[in-house]
Amino acid sequence: MTKFGISQSVRRKEDNRFLTGQGQYVDDLSIGADAFAVFVRAPVAHADIVNLDTADACEAEGVVAVYTAADLEGKLKNAMNFALVNNRDATKAAAPVRPMLATGRVRYVGEAVAVVIARTRQNALDAADLVEVDYEDLPVHVATAVGGETIHSEAPDNRAYDWAHGDEAATEAAFAKAARTVSLELVDNRVIANPVEPRGALARMVDGRLHFTVNGQGVWGLRDNLARKLGMDRTQVRVTNPDVGGGFGMKSFDYPEYFVLAFAARETGLALRWMADRGEGHLTDAGGRDLVTTAEAAFDADHKLLALRFHTISNLGAYNSPHGQLIQSELALKVMPGSYDVQTTFFHVEGVYTNTTPLDSYRGAGRPEAIYAVERLMDQCARELGISPVELRRINFIPRDSFPYTSASGETYDVGDFHKVLDRALREADIDGFEERRKQSAQAGKYRGLGLAYYIESILGSQDETTKIEFGDDGRVNLYVGTQSNGQGHETVFAQILNERAGIPFDRISFVQGDSDRIAKGGGTGGSRSVTMQGNSINAAADEMIRRFRPLAEEELEVAGADLTFQNGAFQITGTDRSVSLMELSDIARKRGKADLLVTELENTVGGRSYPNGAHFCEVEVDPDTGKTQVVKYTVVDDFGVLMNPMLAEGQVHGGVAQGIGQAITEQVVYDADGQLLSGSFMDYAMPRAYDVPWMDFHAELVPSTANEIGMKGCGEAGTVGALAAVTNAALDAVWDAGVRHVDMPITPVRMWSWLNAARIAAE
């Protein structure tokens, strides 16, 4: 391997500009914008709009325009796009219109009813207060449950969809004949992504074209949707993503504000800026998780799984969001039933509407939720069967010689060696020393618990990806990619891959992303797809580039055929020291008028998905006097196939686990019975702090994927997928001997103290 090739822990080249304040984010690019947008939002969760008067706002200082849904008529299609699943009876799920600006009724606190465009942000805020809206309240439904006051006529009982996968009759029969069955009720709490950079956008008309800059996770889908909604040809729309301060899936799809801002920019001819503040983000960013699940397992007399059955109620919020219906159904299904060898399964999900902010993708998008249910259930089964959690998993793992393995969900797991990964995790976590650590905790007055989660993950998103490699006049090589970095380190990793395959000097590679004008097509970032799909595309493009340069190298070196080899970025005559590098050939091509050689563009398709997997061991201490649960030791052993940059992979795992610890212990979105958000700021919503997250031991036990040429597996979401169950299993283990028999996320001090207190009272 070269110094900057793959599998090297190269420091991130993009950090130089980030750490010196040279990053270019939406807010940086918006400096000098002509006007600001502020949205007028509903203060009630469910109500008819009786009167909407913007006259005073229109006359306010600095105001350029005020728009309501009526102003969009005939100019902007006032309806968002979303995907639908099929119901169990093969009908389509409910598809009520989600307007960009409310039309006649609001259905959650924070829904936009108007937008004010003014010369300064303060002007816009002041004018927004002058928009008069009279509401007639309607009954509110916030419970994650079927029923309640109807929110949409298309879903009279608020059931958006009734989806299932598997053989219900065969599963029922397996449960009927089982030696033992186990059932567990689980709540997966609602969370907010809270990236360091809130959502924002800049819209302006440039030479008759719309240029829309947004801190998203891809540009092409939004470009096409803007064109459709505004009645423009897509060649008239340019979308760009600059540097992005975190996305976590929450920025991977369109929001109503984007279309309204673009409409207003076209109407006024001004460069318009919108940037959400943190409170606005809490109100309007798509939430994550929020589901309740009944998980059941059936075993034979030897503790072998006969069947699994899951029934989930999934909260969609007030409307369908772009991916909302897919997450707990088709996306969660990708990893059901985890790493276990069981073919008789039934997965049943009902999506429900509530008078809350819509939900969508959040780090893992269905897979953390699925693995949480599976791994919590496996620990409960181990307790009820009187067997260790490790041994029960070993009995039921998919055997190594069964790969490629078609799961009960229809996914083809290409490779895996779960026993090997678990063996390594047992050693690295020093499980043999746990009882001694538990004794030490007890001496300090703390309960200590050990939790295990074995996860499997599925890469999502398109398996196609584009790459363009361009030799510039300035001696640099431009690498154009179809993905979008949100802070993961793509600029470094993709340069490493190109350096490894083509030998182009690492420091000569310039990175180009997130521009629908400069890059014709791409899949964006999400579902842990970026490095796998883009990496293989870069490899294929590099191979094509080398093939295209070969005739020029033969001409220059006066040799042909097998006597000419390519290695370390140069063509070399076998057995001699005569060679010519790609960089030299690019100069030769330019001088000889062979400009076509200077650009290689290719779209590559990866034949199959990869399935990262791994073992998480978590240890927590619980203070019985205060109920505080503290993660004190965390060990991860992952199988990510061939690692592109081990240091960055470790960083991705650390971040993912931190988000998992946050959901498991501190974070929770809370609405009251009237649909008012009670956790609308960081005073009320507890993000994990540094002291909540211990140092994490990360280790790799790698089994290269056979589904792609490089052998890599995605790593972006794996930390979160495994962390939820590992932390929660550890917390329950800590207080089991104190009589607590069930815990749910988040394990806040007051909740843990309440469980412990209830157990004490029951024991008296």
Side-chain angles (χ1 to χ4, degrees):
M1 300 294 180
T2 62
K3 179 180 179 182
F4 297 108
I6 66 171
S7 299
Q8 307 299 308
S9 289
V10 177
R11 290 186 178 275
R12 299 187 353 161
K13 59 192 301 187
E14 53 266 63
D15 285 349
N16 289 331
R17 71 172 188 277
F18 293 151
L19 295 174
T20 57
Q22 301 304 305
Q24 290 291 292
Y25 298 88
V26 167
D27 228 17
D28 298 310
L29 299 175
S30 297
I31 294 173
D34 300 321
F36 293 74
V38 167
F39 287 86
V40 180
R41 300 190 180 277
V44 293
H46 199 197
D48 286 327
I49 300 174
V50 177
N51 180 58
L52 176 54
D53 187 348
T54 64
D56 289 346
C58 289
E59 297 301 318
E61 181 182 354
V63 170
V64 175
V66 181
Y67 298 112
T68 68
D71 299 305
L72 308 185
E73 191 97 16
K75 298 179 179 180
L76 175 67
K77 294 178 182 177
N78 189 25
M80 295 294 294
N81 294 341
F82 43 78
L84 297 177
V85 300
N86 290 323
N87 291 316
R88 298 173 65 183
D89 62 5
T91 61
K92 277 292 183 185
V97 171
R98 180 185 180 182
M100 297 170 189
L101 292 175
T103 55
R105 179 173 291 186
V106 295
R107 293 177 171 86
Y108 67 96
V109 173
E111 184 169 5
V113 299
V115 64
V116 176
I117 308 298
R119 291 296 178 178
T120 71
R121 188 167 189 272
Q122 191 58 54
N123 288 159
L125 287 167
D126 291 343
D129 288 339
L130 299 177
V131 175
E132 295 184 12
V133 190
D134 295 326
Y135 297 99
E136 186 174 299
D137 288 347
L138 296 169
V140 173
H141 173 62
V142 295
T144 303
V146 176
E149 188 69 22
T150 297
I151 297 172
H152 299 288
S153 59
E154 295 87 344
D157 57 359
N158 290 318
R159 184 188 284 110
Y161 65 83
D162 183 10
W163 175 95
H165 181 278
D167 191 326
E168 186 174 15
T171 304
E172 179 65 34
F175 271 81
K177 73 174 186 180
R180 290 291 302 273
T181 63
V182 178
S183 179
L184 181 63
E185 303 288 332
L186 295 168
V187 175
D188 200 327
N189 47 315
R190 183 177 181 140
V191 293
I192 302 174
N194 284 317
V196 67
E197 180 196 23
R199 288 188 296 120
L202 171 67
R204 57 201 186 275
M205 299 299 294
V206 180
D207 298 329
R209 299 177 70 219
L210 172 66
H211 184 185
F212 195 83
T213 301
V214 62
N215 49 16
Q217 294 178 220
V219 298
W220 298 273
L222 178 56
R223 175 200 60 189
D224 294 348
N225 286 333
L226 282 167
R228 279 193 290 267
K229 300 297 185 186
L230 289 165
M232 303 172 72
D233 189 275
R234 72 177 190 174
T235 60
Q236 297 176 290
V237 179
R238 178 188 184 190
V239 176
T240 55
N241 289 158
D243 290 324
V244 179
F248 311 120
M250 185 275 288
K251 293 180 181 174
S252 66
F253 42 86
D254 304 337
Y255 284 84
E257 293 92 347
Y258 303 163
F259 298 96
V260 175
L261 190 72
F263 159 81
R266 189 174 67 173
E267 288 291 297
T268 63
L270 301 175
L272 303 184
R273 172 183 185 180
W274 171 70
M275 199 77 198
D277 60 28
R278 188 60 66 181
E280 195 173 10
H282 277 250
L283 273 180
T284 64
D285 290 350
R289 321 306 188 211
D290 203 348
L291 52 148
V292 294
T293 297
T294 300
E296 299 175 279
F299 292 88
D300 67 16
D302 296 320
H303 307 321
K304 187 77 172 69
L305 276 167
L306 296 176
L308 287 172
R309 182 166 56 197
F310 297 88
H311 176 223
T312 293
I313 305 290
S314 171
N315 189 352
L316 297 173
Y319 298 99
N320 296 320
S321 58
H323 311 132
Q325 291 194 7
L326 302 177
I327 292 169
Q328 305 310 332
S329 54
E330 295 180 5
L331 300 189
L333 180 67
K334 298 291 185 185
V335 296
M336 286 288 198
S339 54
Y340 304 112
D341 184 15
V342 55
Q343 290 292 319
T344 305
T345 57
F346 186 63
F347 311 127
H348 179 202
V349 184
E350 296 175 271
V352 297
Y353 296 120
T354 63
N355 292 118
T356 64
T357 305
L359 291 95
D360 209 294
S361 304
Y362 173 58
R363 200 165 189 166
R367 287 101 78 215
E369 298 92 324
I371 295 301
Y372 177 69
V374 171
E375 290 300 289
R376 285 295 310 276
L377 178 61
M378 288 300 283
D379 255 38
Q380 183 71 16
C381 291
R383 291 190 181 281
E384 295 194 22
L385 296 175
I387 185 174
S388 83
V390 170
E391 186 58 26
L392 184 62
R393 287 171 171 83
R394 287 194 187 281
I395 291 170
N396 289 286
F397 273 158
I398 300 165
R400 177 179 178 176
D401 58 9
S402 293
F403 291 94
Y405 177 89
T406 302
S407 74
S409 300
E411 294 290 298
T412 300
Y413 299 165
D414 56 336
V415 291
D417 193 340
F418 305 151
H419 289 284
K420 180 181 179 182
V421 173
L422 183 55
D423 285 342
R424 174 79 179 276
L426 288 165
R427 295 195 304 272
E428 299 293 352
D430 184 25
I431 300 305
D432 289 341
F434 171 72
E435 288 304 327
E436 179 59 32
R437 294 192 292 276
R438 175 177 271 177
K439 290 177 183 177
Q440 292 172 0
S441 295
Q443 290 170 2
K446 306 286 182 65
Y447 301 148
R448 193 179 190 107
L450 174 66
L452 163 64
Y454 199 100
Y455 79 91
I456 191 165
E457 230 251 276
S458 170
I459 306 307
L460 300 180
S462 172
Q463 291 171 224
D464 298 346
E465 198 47 86
T466 62
T467 297
K468 182 166 77 171
I469 304 169
E470 175 187 66
F471 289 86
D473 295 339
D474 58 357
R476 299 191 64 79
V477 178
N478 298 318
L479 175 61
Y480 298 78
V481 300
T483 53
Q484 174 65 43
S485 177
N486 289 177
Q488 301 96 322
H490 291 180
E491 189 169 337
T492 299
V493 172
F494 294 154
Q496 286 183 258
I497 295 171
L498 183 57
N499 171 261
E500 173 79 13
R501 196 71 158 199
I504 294 174
F506 184 78
D507 59 0
R508 302 276 287 276
I509 299 171
S510 296
F511 185 63
V512 183
Q513 64 174 352
D515 188 332
S516 64
D517 272 10
R518 301 183 71 187
I519 305 163
K521 181 181 178 182
T525 287
S528 300
R529 70 177 295 274
S530 294
V531 175
T532 299
M533 303 309 171
Q534 190 69 66
N536 279 278
S537 180
I538 292 170
N539 262 6
D543 288 347
E544 174 65 10
M545 175 183 64
I546 293 165
R547 184 194 67 77
R548 295 176 69 238
F549 267 109
R550 186 179 183 87
L552 183 60
E554 291 175 343
E555 180 182 332
E556 184 67 17
L557 295 174
E558 299 179 332
V559 69
D563 290 336
L564 189 65
T565 61
F566 182 85
Q567 57 184 344
N568 298 324
F571 290 95
Q572 183 169 9
I573 300 175
T574 304
T576 75
D577 60 358
R578 292 187 61 207
S579 65
V580 60
S581 72
L582 279 176
M583 300 303 294
E584 291 169 331
L585 286 170
S586 70
D587 290 336
I588 294 168
R590 185 173 289 105
K591 291 173 183 176
R592 295 184 184 178
K594 297 179 181 289
D596 61 305
L597 289 180
L598 302 178
V599 179
T600 299
E601 194 165 3
L602 180 142
E603 181 175 355
N604 183 70
T605 300
V606 172
R609 302 188 188 280
S610 59
Y611 297 86
N613 61 90
H616 288 221
F617 276 109
C618 174
E619 295 182 27
V620 305
E621 282 187 336
V622 174
D623 185 336
D625 295 328
T626 65
K628 180 174 175 58
T629 302
Q630 180 78 45
V631 178
V632 293
K633 191 174 190 297
Y634 206 100
T635 305
V636 180
V637 175
D638 283 312
D639 170 13
F640 289 151
V642 177
L643 291 175
M644 297 299 97
N645 184 316
M647 180 174 63
L648 298 192
E650 182 173 2
Q652 286 293 294
V653 172
H654 285 179
V657 171
Q659 286 182 294
I661 291 173
Q663 180 177 354
I665 294 181
T666 68
E667 298 182 54
Q668 184 174 30
V669 176
V670 179
Y671 290 90
D672 69 11
D674 294 323
Q676 293 294 328
L677 181 65
L678 302 183
S679 50
S681 75
F682 288 148
M683 294 293 289
D684 307 294
Y685 185 91
M687 294 287 284
R689 274 90 166 163
Y691 57 72
D692 293 313
V693 182
W695 175 254
M696 283 166 256
D697 288 325
F698 169 78
H699 307 276
E701 194 64 51
L702 306 176
V703 180
S705 174
T706 60
N708 62 81
E709 184 180 355
I710 302 177
M712 67 175 77
K713 303 173 183 178
C715 68
E717 295 159 313
T720 308
V721 176
L724 300 181
V727 175
T728 316
N729 284 339
L732 181 57
D733 183 61
V735 296
W736 186 267
D737 289 343
V740 177
R741 293 295 177 262
H742 184 75
V743 299
D744 269 320
M745 302 183 294
I747 307 165
T748 60
V750 67
R751 299 184 87 197
M752 178 58 84
W753 186 89
S754 298
W755 294 324
L756 286 166
N757 193 51
R760 290 188 201 104
I761 293 171
E764 290 176 354

